[in-house]
Amino acid sequence: MAAPGAGGTDVLNELVGQSYKYGFVTDIEADTAPKGLSEEIVRFISARKDEPEWLLTWRLKAYHHWLTMPEPTWAKVSFPPLDYQDAYYYSAPKNLPKLESLDDIDPEIKRTYDKLGIPLHEQQILAGVAVDAVFDSVSVATTFKKKLEEYGVIFCPISEAVQKHPELVRKYLGSVVPYTDNKHATLNSAVFTDGSFVYVPPGVRCPMELSTYFRINAAKTGQFERTLIIADRGSYVSYLEGCTAPMRDENQLHAAVVELVALDDAEIKYSTVQNWYPGDEQGRGGIFNFVTKRGACRGRNSKISWTQVETGSAITWKYPSCILQGDNSVGEFYSIAITNNYQQADTGTKMIHLGRNTRSRIISKGISAGHGQQTYRGLVRVAARAEGARNHTQCDSLLIGSTCGAHTVPYIESHNRSAVVEHEATTSRISDDQLFYCRQRGLKLEDAVALVVNGFCRDVLQQLPMEFAVEAQKLVGISLEGSVG
Amino acid sequence: MLEIRDLHATVNGKAILKGLTLTVGAGEVHAIMGPNGAGKSTLAYVLAGRDGYEVTGGDFLVDGRSLLDLAPEDRAQAGLFLAFQYPVEIPGVSNSTFLREAVNAQRRSRGEPDLDALQFIKLARQKMNSLGMTDEMLKRPVNVGFSGGEKKRNEVLQLAILEPKVAVMDETDSGLDVDALRTVARAVNALRAPKRSFLMITHYERLLEEIVPDRVHILADGRIVGSGGPELAREIERTGYAAYAAAAA
Amino acid sequence: MPGMEARGDGVLGLSLLAPGFGAGEPAGSSWLSRLKAAAARDFAAQGLPTRRREAWKYTDLKPLAEIAFRAPVADDSASVRTLSDLLDLPPPEGSRLVFVHGRYRPDLSFCDLSEAGVSMSPFNAGAGDDKALAARLLGRIATAANQPLVALNTAGMEDGLCIHVRAGVHLQRPIEIVSLGSAASEPLAWHGRTLIVLDDGAQATIIEHQRAPAEMPAPALVNAVTEIALGAAAQLCHYRQQALGTTGFHINAVAATLGTDAVYEAFTLTTGGGLVRNETSVTLDAPGAETRLAGAYLVDGSQHLDTTTLIEHRAPRTTCREVFKGVVDGTAEAVFQGRIVVQREAQGTNADQLSKALLLSDGARVNQKPELEIYADDVKCSHGAAAGQIDREALFYLRSRGVPASVAQRLLIEGFLGDALSQISDAAVREAFSQTAFAWLQDR
């Protein structure tokens, strides 16, 4: 957690690095680095982004630490060992042909867009169709940017923030998820290419949901995304990540890191819809989504709220967490996870109560269908000094079909007597009675399933910003297609 | 409108319906009465196509079309409605969402466009007004925390909105006090129409005081063992089912 | 294994298998010596579990490795006098089998032979079929693989006891098993082993009393294993009362396998112990099998109590219900780990688990890990876990009615534990266990 770049290491790295630096770059064509991971690649990424020395040093420390780390094996997911040398870490060549019209795209994807009710022009951009100049998303973005500037909100790519706001980035980067945290986060620290940076100044209530208009940009984010959001004293921000539309990517491994910092009286609401390619019905292909998301409620009365709808990816490994340091701070985790076909998800949260009268709430709704395997894994820890802490956890799993699995693994550590910690979990099959009732009223079986499952998820769906919620609701139904009948 | 021909059905391998034949003409209200275990609720579930209720012989038709091979939703779309004896609770799904999904599913099957939220609310309000119900019921999750009377009224509301050709009312009177029974009965009476048939399944005669049927049938041991006018219901109330049960055995 | 500190003997805890352990093994029991030898190899390969092993995440056995334990000397009659203090039990209703340092003591025991259809005999001295039973089942229900302490027990056990109730026999009186340790001046370790077999349709109640002196000059390691096999429709009520003083390491593993429609009911009441681990694993192997596990614990000082359960549903329509409640005072620490596994073939499973702890003091701690692992869909499973202090509003309410704070607190704790105690279906045992629990509260 220490600020990166202690002098001695810097010098050393400079000496070691300097001789390679330029020679290496000249070997490389334009914006592309060869396959594989090495110190040179890390230096290359940093150089391409014209990063300051301290950041390079930090990346290198992460890289060297990464080399010593074992793969985490505790999650209930199985996959063949990752070959880190068989991947691109910078500007992987993507064969995304420009399409002439929407008629050229995979009809399956087109159908999903329609079901989600995504406007035509957004469909075109998502699908990579060459867009008519009449629709100018950039100008829309510019309008928003102007407004944010008025309020003093900084919202830009993290690479830009490194150049323009180095003091903020240097102060907070790695302060919530240290570069030594876990194998995937450490890899991200070494090779992250871009992501979002948000800073909300004291007392400012961010005038809009950040990144609502960003759907299109979000579709192009890289595989090692790094996001850093800082809500200064008394500020508020709601950040939306991801996209309900199915996202395809040639890269199998995605290892993002998101760090949130809430100072006194600040609030951050972070909503995610994750719909990466889950693989086909036989479980071939699909994204490995190994994400580290963590928020620090550093200040008194601060609040961090995570809401996630996880329907995509072949494997999801993700535990958005809150470190409740400030007295009276609040952490929330609302989650819907759906695993269908051969998807695997091991997801949950950690609520670490350190301050007095800290409160946390966890609602997790897991739906497993087909051959899906899903695990809720959560930790609630009340430290000895967390006088008056409160936690309530509700964890429900719904099973559709006899070949899926649902698992619940909570760790509940209560080390203060005045703390009240309550955990409840249920697992059951989708109700035949409910499905029959719906069908008797004329609903198709699939629609009946979607309706009943949406009802099951309601407590979480209502935490999402309105326009997201409507699409997410449709997404729930789409994700379960083929799970019954 | 509803024609049941020599219907045989089993549940868990046990024969429950053993050759039931019955015809309800358009605009008519028929009642089926019978002792516990006669197969009354089985008949309702068989018609609606519930899993586990296996038809082993015979047929039934709505508006001249056999529904036997259809999925439950296709039967509903063909105009068959079942008012459940025990309407199930569906947490998290509001009544209005549920009903709109149902209405639109049925409209789609007829090739009609979906009702949008506004059009639907208008329709629902209109129906509720005519039944003397308030909006509040639309906002609540389907049947969750409803009293017995509210559940039955909700069934009738669905009937009013979905406008089926044949409505099978399974023990609509069970669990209701006199006032609630009257409210529900008034609503059903309001929904009687020349192109709609009702099959009222009941154990007691008192519902039939409120909804006067055209015909009354006695079901015992899986068969209709007696039919008559409304007076038959009153006779049963006096003498009980014993004679009919004996006849069936 | 990573994280293990090397000792002179290579693997942590291997001294527990030093010469002297298992010396009392009778001659001519080749199956038993083979079993023990294999288990010794298993233990040597595994060593004592460290906290890196998920099943031992919250209980640290490292202190064990620091102690040079030795096996108790056979028949230490000097210690019997001091034991009499521990034997404040009322006269037995039926059979009472007394074990001292894991060894059966006929001189202190009483075998009620008036009931037909039951036999109680050492593994090697039983009638022909009981001997065969032991040879067939021992080490098969509680396996040494991946369970280092079971391996240690198997390797280190001397002879053990087999209780066998024959088909259709309903025992009228409970069988008591009393396990005692004495205040020895040097660290002793012993590994008691019991096998309980109920044939089809048999019914029995077994009440265990595990006692240890309040203070012991030297630490002791009690590492007991009980294996239980229930035939079709057999019913066993298994009640344990553990009054374990304030020191020592008490590790109890119970493993049961259940036949069709068999019922295993177990309740454990624990007061005290230095470090106590009660591990129960039940395999519901045949359709309709049911288990009810419950317990209450009361710990204070620097005690550490670990309740670990594993229930595996492997057949259709199997049921489990668990209720554990405990109070933690002083700087004591309680652990509850409850894992329920429902395999794909176990359709129609009902599983329900509850674990609640009351923390009475500032240093008290509880770590809980309820766990559901479900591969079948036609299931109803739930678990709940909670930790907190005594309800302040209820406390205030009672005080406002004139009840002194200390009494009010005790009443509320009694009520809290009552949910667990009420799970005991035998009225006499329920009453006796409640008395013991409430006396602990009275004395604190």
Side-chain angles (χ1 to χ4, degrees):
Chain A
M1 289 227 212
T9 334
D10 272 359
V11 176
L12 190 68
N13 277 307
E14 230 163 293
L15 287 172
V16 176
Q18 214 68 34
S19 55
Y20 293 102
K21 213 169 171 180
Y22 301 106
F24 181 69
V25 173
T26 52
D27 288 346
I28 303 300
E29 281 293 326
D31 272 353
T32 309
K35 259 186 185 180
L37 183 55
S38 64
E39 183 173 326
E40 290 174 339
I41 292 285
V42 175
R43 287 180 180 281
F44 172 76
I45 293 170
S46 189
R48 291 302 306 169
K49 299 204 159 278
D50 205 12
E51 287 175 352
E53 198 59 37
W54 63 264
L55 189 51
L56 172 63
T57 307
W58 190 72
R59 285 180 181 272
L60 288 172
K61 278 199 286 191
Y63 172 69
H64 288 292
H65 190 73
W66 179 82
L67 291 174
T68 68
M69 296 172 91
E71 293 280 334
T73 53
W74 40 264
K76 205 174 161 53
V77 292
S78 61
F79 54 93
L82 295 168
D83 183 356
Y84 291 100
Q85 298 308 331
D86 189 33
Y88 292 98
Y89 293 85
Y90 188 77
S91 293
K94 288 179 193 162
N95 315 315
L96 287 179
K98 281 281 172 202
L99 304 174
E100 289 307 313
S101 83
L102 273 176
D103 299 337
D104 297 338
I105 71 165
D106 183 349
E108 194 62 20
I109 291 186
K110 171 76 176 125
R111 202 175 58 89
T112 310
Y113 287 164
D114 290 342
K115 284 196 165 192
L116 286 167
I118 295 172
L120 203 66
H121 57 262
E122 284 191 33
Q123 288 192 18
Q124 291 174 322
I125 297 169
L126 285 166
V129 174
V131 181
D132 210 349
V134 174
F135 174 72
D136 184 5
S137 68
V138 179
S139 67
V140 179
T142 314
T143 322
F144 280 120
K145 266 213 138 122
K146 237 182 195 159
K147 185 145 197 199
L148 289 174
E149 270 165 23
E150 271 171 40
Y151 283 79
V153 175
I154 303 169
F155 178 32
C156 63
I158 198 162
S159 53
E160 189 183 320
V162 168
Q163 306 300 334
K164 290 189 179 163
H165 311 281
E167 71 297 337
L168 283 172
V169 177
R170 190 168 184 176
K171 183 169 176 191
Y172 290 107
L173 186 74
S175 75
V176 187
V177 179
Y179 71 83
T180 52
D181 197 79
N182 68 72
K183 183 110 188 171
H184 308 310
T186 300
L187 177 61
N188 176 289
S189 300
V191 301
F192 74 88
T193 38
D194 221 331
S196 299
F197 175 83
V198 178
Y199 172 78
V200 190
V204 169
R205 195 180 165 85
C206 187
M208 67 192 73
E209 310 265 7
L210 287 186
S211 133
T212 41
Y213 69 92
F214 225 57
R215 184 200 327 252
I216 294 144
N217 304 31
K220 291 180 196 149
T221 51
Q223 64 182 129
F224 299 102
E225 209 179 336
R226 184 105 196 176
T227 299
L228 174 59
I229 299 178
I230 302 134
D232 213 325
R233 280 173 290 108
S235 67
Y236 168 85
V237 61
S238 168
Y239 185 89
L240 277 66
E241 168 203 54
C243 183
T244 50
M247 297 213 266
R248 299 212 173 228
D249 193 301
E250 302 303 313
N251 299 304
Q252 189 177 38
L253 174 65
H254 278 237
V257 172
V258 175
E259 296 178 278
L260 310 182
V261 179
L263 302 181
D264 285 358
D265 303 301
E267 178 176 349
I268 302 174
K269 193 170 160 58
Y270 194 104
S271 310
T272 305
V273 172
Q274 185 263 114
N275 193 14
W276 291 105
Y277 180 54
D280 68 11
E281 280 160 26
Q282 268 68 51
R284 287 178 300 237
I287 301 290
F288 293 178
N289 195 31
F290 298 160
V291 187
T292 304
K293 291 185 169 179
R294 197 173 301 153
C297 284
R298 294 246 163 97
R300 295 173 59 86
N301 313 317
S302 56
K303 179 175 175 182
I304 288 178
S305 182
W306 298 99
T307 304
Q308 62 173 24
V309 179
E310 301 284 323
T311 62
S313 296
I315 300 176
T316 299
W317 180 102
K318 180 180 174 190
Y319 316 91
S321 304
C322 296
I323 300 167
L324 304 169
Q325 290 166 283
D327 290 350
N328 313 319
S329 59
V330 177
E332 292 175 337
F333 175 73
Y334 302 104
S335 171
I336 296 169
I338 297 177
T339 45
N340 195 0
N341 297 320
Y342 284 86
Q343 284 177 272
Q344 307 174 61
D346 194 300
T347 185
T349 183
K350 293 184 201 173
M351 292 290 172
I352 313 289
H353 293 258
L354 301 173
R356 288 161 175 270
N357 300 315
T358 46
R359 281 168 292 148
S360 64
R361 184 173 185 217
I362 298 169
I363 300 181
S364 163
K365 303 282 180 178
I367 299 104
S368 214
H371 293 85
Q373 291 292 330
Q374 187 169 138
T375 303
Y376 167 82
R377 190 181 301 278
L379 168 67
V380 174
R381 176 180 289 156
V382 178
R385 63 179 186 277
E387 195 77 28
R390 295 277 181 284
N391 161 266
H392 185 82
T393 301
Q394 179 71 46
C395 216
D396 298 313
S397 303
L398 199 63
L399 298 152
I400 302 175
S402 60
T403 50
C404 56
H407 321 299
T408 312
V409 191
Y411 297 77
I412 306 151
E413 303 174 359
S414 186
H415 296 177
N416 184 297
R417 76 157 149 172
S418 64
V420 177
V421 181
E422 292 168 311
H423 170 98
E424 288 174 75
T426 65
T427 304
S428 58
R429 179 164 71 165
I430 190 165
S431 156
D432 289 339
D433 287 347
Q434 291 174 351
L435 295 181
F436 178 65
Y437 190 77
C438 295
R439 294 176 76 188
Q440 209 301 305
R441 296 302 182 249
L443 267 67
K444 284 202 209 88
L445 181 55
E446 284 196 340
D447 295 336
V449 169
L451 192 75
V452 168
V453 172
N454 268 305
F456 173 77
C457 297
R458 197 186 130 83
D459 290 346
V460 175
L461 286 170
Q462 66 187 15
Q463 299 294 333
L464 287 170
M466 192 56 190
E467 69 271 35
F468 237 28
V470 174
E471 280 185 18
Q473 214 161 329
K474 292 179 185 157
L475 184 58
V476 166
I478 293 169
S479 305
L480 288 169
E481 277 178 3
S483 64
V484 286
Chain B
M1 187 62 70
L2 171 65
E3 199 182 341
I4 304 172
R5 294 177 184 160
D6 193 29
L7 197 59
H8 289 70
T10 60
V11 179
N12 291 328
K14 192 177 171 233
I16 307 289
L17 299 185
K18 303 169 183 174
L20 191 148
T21 299
L22 182 70
T23 302
V24 185
E28 292 181 356
V29 174
H30 288 209
I32 288 195
M33 302 182 70
N36 288 328
K40 299 194 299 293
S41 284
T42 298
L43 173 61
Y45 284 144
V46 165
L47 295 180
R50 183 166 201 154
D51 277 352
Y53 291 75
E54 201 190 339
V55 173
T56 50
D59 199 355
F60 83 95
L61 299 85
V62 167
D63 214 7
R65 173 186 177 201
S66 170
L67 303 189
L68 210 52
D69 295 330
L70 300 186
E73 57 270 35
D74 297 328
R75 298 182 190 204
Q77 289 167 7
L80 179 78
F81 179 91
L82 170 62
F84 285 69
Q85 182 179 3
Y86 303 109
V88 69
E89 301 187 355
I90 310 181
V93 178
S94 77
N95 226 354
S96 62
T97 303
F98 173 68
L99 269 169
R100 187 151 74 93
E101 289 285 340
V103 167
N104 283 334
Q106 301 213 11
R107 289 178 65 90
R108 261 171 251 148
S109 78
R110 296 193 292 265
E112 296 166 13
D114 281 15
L115 294 184
D116 65 26
L118 229 60
Q119 291 167 318
F120 169 75
I121 289 290
K122 221 172 128 188
L123 171 71
R125 286 229 172 97
Q126 174 213 328
K127 298 289 184 185
M128 293 182 97
N129 283 338
S130 69
L131 298 174
M133 296 180 190
T134 58
D135 268 16
E136 182 252 2
M137 200 180 254
L138 281 180
K139 294 178 193 138
R140 290 161 64 185
V142 181
N143 295 324
V144 177
F146 282 30
S147 70
E150 285 175 326
K151 281 185 182 170
K152 296 297 165 77
R153 262 160 54 207
N154 195 22
E155 294 293 288
V156 175
L157 170 64
Q158 294 174 35
L159 196 168
I161 291 178
L162 296 174
E163 303 182 321
K165 292 175 183 153
V166 173
V168 179
M169 315 292 287
D170 188 9
E171 307 261 359
T172 296
D173 47 343
S174 71
L176 296 188
D177 60 30
V178 181
D179 291 335
L181 181 70
R182 283 220 176 99
T183 312
V184 170
R186 256 201 308 275
V188 172
N189 282 326
L191 293 168
R192 291 174 77 153
K195 289 207 165 168
R196 180 170 302 141
S197 306
F198 282 87
L199 188 60
M200 318 283 303
I201 294 174
T202 183
H203 186 70
Y204 298 108
E205 182 259 349
R206 60 175 190 167
L207 177 69
L208 306 181
E209 295 286 337
E210 303 291 338
I211 306 171
V212 181
D214 299 300
R215 297 285 287 168
V216 174
H217 309 276
I218 309 299
L219 177 67
D221 196 30
R223 276 188 295 264
I224 302 294
V225 294
S227 299
E231 72 289 347
L232 183 56
R234 280 189 284 278
E235 183 197 319
I236 289 290
E237 189 73 0
R238 278 197 316 277
T239 60
Y241 291 110
Y244 289 99
Chain C
M1 269 188 74
M4 210 128 67
E5 289 146 51
R7 281 169 47 89
D9 48 25
V11 177
L12 187 68
L14 212 58
S15 70
L16 294 167
L17 282 178
F21 282 95
E25 177 198 321
S29 54
S30 56
W31 67 269
L32 195 54
S33 38
R34 274 202 305 274
L35 183 69
K36 285 161 62 74
R41 284 193 300 274
D42 267 329
F43 180 72
Q46 298 179 68
L48 276 178
T50 68
R51 292 187 54 189
R52 281 165 184 258
R53 197 184 269 258
E54 185 66 19
W56 292 85
K57 181 177 170 66
Y58 291 115
T59 294
D60 193 355
L61 292 183
K62 215 183 282 163
L64 269 186
E66 310 297 319
I67 302 164
F69 289 103
R70 70 169 192 80
V73 219
D75 220 39
D76 182 4
S77 52
S79 64
V80 175
R81 276 194 308 280
T82 60
L83 291 171
S84 63
D85 297 341
L86 294 168
L87 276 172
D88 56 350
L89 298 165
E93 280 182 69
S95 297
R96 174 177 286 166
L97 311 166
V98 179
F99 292 77
V100 177
H101 296 151
R103 281 198 195 97
Y104 180 52
R105 289 287 293 266
D107 54 323
L108 302 171
S109 301
F110 170 71
C111 270
D112 177 7
L113 298 172
S114 65
E115 290 203 81
V118 56
S119 51
M120 294 162 259
S121 47
F123 298 146
N124 272 302
D129 61 334
D130 280 5
K131 214 166 165 178
L133 203 60
R136 185 159 56 83
L137 293 176
L138 212 64
R140 298 284 161 79
I141 307 170
T143 52
N146 214 24
Q147 296 192 88
L149 284 135
V150 171
L152 179 62
N153 172 286
T154 309
M157 70 175 162
E158 298 181 16
D159 204 1
L161 186 81
C162 172
I163 297 174
H164 180 197
V165 185
R166 289 182 172 62
V169 172
H170 295 191
L171 291 187
Q172 298 307 305
R173 288 179 290 277
I175 297 172
E176 287 183 27
I177 300 174
V178 181
S179 305
L180 301 172
S182 66
S185 55
E186 53 186 337
L188 299 182
W190 62 89
H191 309 277
R193 184 84 168 217
T194 311
L195 173 66
I196 300 169
V197 180
L198 268 62
D199 292 342
D200 292 356
Q203 290 183 9
T205 296
I206 290 176
I207 304 173
E208 285 193 63
H209 296 278
Q210 299 175 353
R211 300 294 180 96
E215 291 287 344
M216 287 195 277
L221 167 63
V222 185
N223 177 34
V225 172
T226 303
E227 290 175 279
I228 297 169
L230 303 185
Q235 292 190 15
L236 176 65
C237 290
H238 183 195
Y239 304 122
R240 284 190 297 183
Q241 196 213 317
Q242 304 174 319
L244 299 172
T246 56
T247 54
F249 302 88
H250 302 267
I251 294 158
N252 292 284
V254 175
T257 171
L258 273 61
T260 307
D261 296 326
V263 179
Y264 175 59
E265 172 179 317
F267 188 96
T268 304
L269 174 68
T270 310
T271 50
L275 180 150
V276 182
R277 160 104 162 183
N278 289 321
E279 186 170 336
T280 304
S281 53
V282 180
T283 310
L284 302 166
D285 257 321
E290 175 182 353
T291 186
R292 303 188 290 262
L293 303 183
Y297 53 84
L298 306 99
V299 288
D300 63 8
S302 57
Q303 292 169 341
H304 178 97
L305 176 87
D306 174 335
T307 302
T308 293
T309 66
L310 166 61
I311 295 173
E312 190 176 356
H313 294 258
R314 291 217 288 227
R317 300 183 315 281
T318 45
T319 303
C320 81
R321 178 172 167 75
E322 294 184 74
V323 181
F324 287 88
K325 291 215 167 180
V327 295
V328 189
D329 205 349
T331 56
E333 180 171 41
V335 175
F336 175 81
Q337 305 183 106
R339 183 161 168 230
I340 295 172
V341 181
V342 180
Q343 300 293 3
R344 183 145 296 156
E345 52 277 16
Q347 297 291 357
T349 284
N350 268 296
D352 184 26
Q353 181 193 73
L354 181 70
S355 162
K356 285 189 171 187
L358 268 186
L359 303 182
L360 300 183
S361 62
D362 280 340
R365 308 179 342 149
V366 61
N367 296 314
Q368 305 189 80
K369 188 190 170 203
E371 189 176 348
L372 294 170
E373 191 175 335
I374 295 169
Y375 300 94
D377 70 323
D378 185 10
V379 300
K380 279 203 166 68
C381 301
S382 65
H383 68 218
Q389 61 184 344
I390 294 169
D391 183 346
R392 284 180 174 171
E393 277 184 39
L395 198 62
F396 176 73
Y397 183 81
L398 286 176
R399 293 175 71 184
S400 75
R401 294 292 175 270
V403 181
S406 63
V407 179
Q409 203 183 43
R410 203 184 71 229
L411 288 175
L412 291 172
I413 299 172
E414 287 180 14
F416 170 79
L417 294 176
D419 286 350
L421 289 159
S422 67
Q423 301 295 312
I424 303 174
S425 57
D426 183 304
V429 174
R430 185 167 64 238
E431 179 60 26
F433 279 27
S434 301
Q435 291 303 329
T436 307
F438 300 163
W440 186 94
L441 293 170
Q442 194 99 48
D443 295 344
R444 72 176 263 272

